[in-house]
Amino acid sequence: MSNPESTPQAAAPSTSPPSHAGHTHTHTPLCRSCGAPAAAPAPAPWTGDSPPPAYRPIRMPAINAPTNTAAIVLSPVPQPLPVPPASPPFAFQAPAKRIASPDDIARFKDSTHGRHFLGFVALLSASVHGRKLSDPLPSPPSPAVSALLDLISALSAFVASTPPFPHSSRYGNPAFRLWHEKLADSVNDLIAPITATAASPSDLAGGELELAPYLLDSFGNGSRIDYGTGHETNFAAFLYCLARLGLITEPDYPAVVLRVFASYLDLMRTLQDTYLLEPAGSHGVWGLDDYHFLPFVFGAAQLIDHKYMKPKSIHNPDILENFSKEYMYLACVMYVKKVKKGPFAEHSPMLDDISAVPNWKKVNSGLLKMYKAEVLEKVPIMQHFLFGSLIKWED
C-alpha cells in the first residue's frame, strides 16, 4: 500500500478568488509534501491591537518581592541620633507587643523612640566606618561590653552541651527547643552581670523583668524553630535598652559592633547550621540573606573608603576567602554562597544588583534606607516588636 504522504499528487487548482485592487489577499499555505492546502491557516501578523507576548524570564518575581524600590531610593538617609537616656527612678515593666496594622507602623515610625531606635542603628553603623574586626578598639571594652561577651560565650557553651537530634527534615531540629529552654532558665542570671556594671546597680533592681523578653526573642523562636530579621531587631532593641540605661555609651559603640554584634552573628550562624533554623518570613531570592540584615549595614560601613575593595569585589573568590574574617559584609556573602547553589545572580539578585553600586558609602546609605522600609516598616516583622518603659508606645 502506498503511503499517501510520500506519493506526489498533482496540485489542485487554486479555488481562491482572484485578487482585486484595494483588497488584501491572504495566500493559503500549501503542504510541502503534496502541495495541497494545509489544514491550519498561517498565524495572523502581529498588529498594534495584538502585540507579541512579553518576554518572560526564567526567574519570576517572588510574591514578597520589594514593590516600593523607587520610594526607598528617594527617601532620606537615616541619620545617627543619640540615645535619649532614661533617668531613675525606673518603673520597669514586662514589655508587650503593640503593632498590628500599618497605622501602628506609622505611629511607631513617627514616635520619639521609633526615630531614635533607627538613629541608634545608624550611629552604630557610623562608629565602624573604615574599621576591621581585628582593629584595636579606640577605647578598652567597658565592663558592660565584657559582660555582653561573657553572655554570648555562655550561650555558645549551651550549643556544645545540646547536640542536635538525628533529624531528616530540611529545617527545624527539635534540639533547638532544649537550647532555648536553657536560655530561658538562665536569662536573669545572664543579664545580672550586665546590670551590675551600672554606676548605681540598686537603681536597676528588677530590670530583668523588662530586659529579659528582648533577649529571649533575640535568638529565634523556640516553638517554631525559626529565626529572622525580627529576632535580629530585638537584639538591637536589647542593646538600645542598655544604652538608655547608660550601661553602654557612644565610646562603646565600636566595640558593640566589632566585638559584641560580631560574636552574636557567629553564634547565630552556629545555631542556624546546628539546629537547621527555618528562615522566619524570608524574602527568599529577593532578600539579602535568609536570616540577617544588620551585618550587611555594619559590614558596608566597615568598607567605606577602602582603597582597593569595591562592591563588585564580592565576585572575587580570593577576596572573600582572605578578607571575610575582617569584614562582616564579605562574611555574609561568603555564607550565602556556601549555603545556596547555582549562579549568584539567580539565587541572590539583590546582592548582585548592589555589587554594581560604585562605592560602599552609597551601599551603606541604601541599606539603611532599606532596613527602615523593609524591616522597621513591615507589619509581619514588627508585630513581634516589644514595648515597655524603655521603648515606649505612644498612643
Side-chain angles (χ1 to χ4, degrees), residues 214-257:
Y214 288 104
L215 191 64
L216 286 172
D217 209 27
S218 295
F219 301 92
N221 184 282
S223 300
R224 296 191 302 269
I225 315 182
D226 64 5
Y227 176 89
T229 50
H231 300 105
E232 178 186 74
T233 297
N234 268 309
F235 185 69
F238 175 71
L239 297 175
Y240 178 82
C241 291
L242 298 183
R244 288 218 65 206
L245 294 171
L247 296 171
I248 56 176
T249 59
E250 288 191 25
D252 294 322
Y253 287 3
V256 169
V257 177

Side-chain angles (χ1 to χ4, degrees), residues 48-384:
D49 295 332
S50 178
Y55 169 69
R56 178 172 295 180
I58 294 175
R59 185 187 74 235
M60 294 299 292
I63 293 174
N64 51 2
T67 57
N68 58 340
T69 305
I72 295 174
V73 170
L74 295 174
S75 64
V77 179
Q79 296 299 309
L81 290 174
V83 175
S87 301
F90 301 108
F92 295 116
Q93 62 187 71
K97 301 174 183 179
R98 300 299 298 268
I99 293 177
S101 70
D103 288 341
D104 294 334
I105 288 286
R107 185 176 291 110
F108 173 63
K109 180 180 70 172
D110 296 333
S111 69
T112 298
H113 289 293
R115 295 193 305 272
H116 281 273
F117 178 71
L118 180 59
F120 172 66
V121 172
L123 197 55
L124 290 176
S125 173
S127 74
V128 295
H129 282 187
R131 298 183 187 275
K132 297 186 293 186
L133 290 173
S134 64
D135 280 350
L137 296 172
S139 59
S142 67
V145 167
S146 297
L148 281 166
L149 292 173
D150 291 341
L151 180 154
I152 294 174
S153 295
L155 296 180
S156 298
F158 290 168
V159 179
S161 63
T162 315
F165 297 149
H167 191 63
S168 58
S169 298
R170 180 183 180 188
Y171 290 123
N173 194 292
F176 179 68
R177 294 193 177 107
L178 297 180
W179 182 91
H180 211 277
E181 286 175 8
K182 292 181 180 181
L183 165 63
D185 291 342
S186 57
V187 65
N188 288 345
D189 293 335
L190 293 170
I191 293 174
I194 303 173
T195 57
T197 64
S200 178
S202 60
D203 288 340
L204 302 186
E208 295 88 352
L209 172 68
E210 186 156 342
L211 295 173
Y214 288 104
L215 191 64
L216 286 172
D217 209 27
S218 295
F219 301 92
N221 184 282
S223 300
R224 296 191 302 269
I225 315 182
D226 64 5
Y227 176 89
T229 50
H231 300 105
E232 178 186 74
T233 297
N234 268 309
F235 185 69
F238 175 71
L239 297 175
Y240 178 82
C241 291
L242 298 183
R244 288 218 65 206
L245 294 171
L247 296 171
I248 56 176
T249 59
E250 288 191 25
D252 294 322
Y253 287 3
V256 169
V257 177
L258 300 177
R259 301 294 187 268
V260 175
F261 190 86
S263 298
Y264 167 77
L265 179 61
D266 288 342
L267 171 58
M268 287 315 312
R269 292 302 191 198
T270 299
L271 293 174
Q272 290 153 17
D273 292 342
T274 302
Y275 303 117
L276 308 176
L277 304 187
E278 185 171 2
S282 170
H283 283 266
V285 73
W286 292 102
L288 297 177
D289 178 309
D290 281 344
Y291 300 102
H292 291 283
F293 199 112
L294 287 177
F296 290 95
V297 176
F298 301 150
Q302 287 182 275
L303 287 159
I304 288 176
D305 295 331
H306 196 283
K307 289 184 178 180
Y308 308 112
M309 279 186 279
K310 307 299 180 187
K312 64 182 180 182
S313 298
I314 66 167
H315 299 295
N316 186 321
D318 291 336
I319 286 179
L320 293 181
E321 181 67 30
N322 292 320
F323 296 99
S324 61
K325 290 181 174 59
E326 295 286 8
Y327 298 99
M328 279 186 273
Y329 193 101
L330 302 182
C332 287
V333 171
M334 192 169 180
Y335 183 83
V336 168
K337 290 190 173 186
K338 181 184 80 170
V339 300
K340 296 189 177 183
K341 307 302 179 185
F344 185 73
E346 291 190 8
H347 64 62
S348 300
M350 189 73 71
L351 288 174
D352 188 61
D353 289 347
I354 291 172
S355 71
V357 175
N359 59 68
W360 289 109
K361 185 174 181 180
K362 286 185 177 294
V363 172
N364 176 252
S365 61
L367 288 174
L368 279 169
K369 291 192 284 187
M370 191 175 171
Y371 181 69
K372 174 178 179 286
E374 294 296 317
V375 177
L376 299 185
E377 296 180 5
K378 295 298 185 186
V379 173
I381 296 173
M382 295 302 291
Q383 65 182 345
H384 304 293

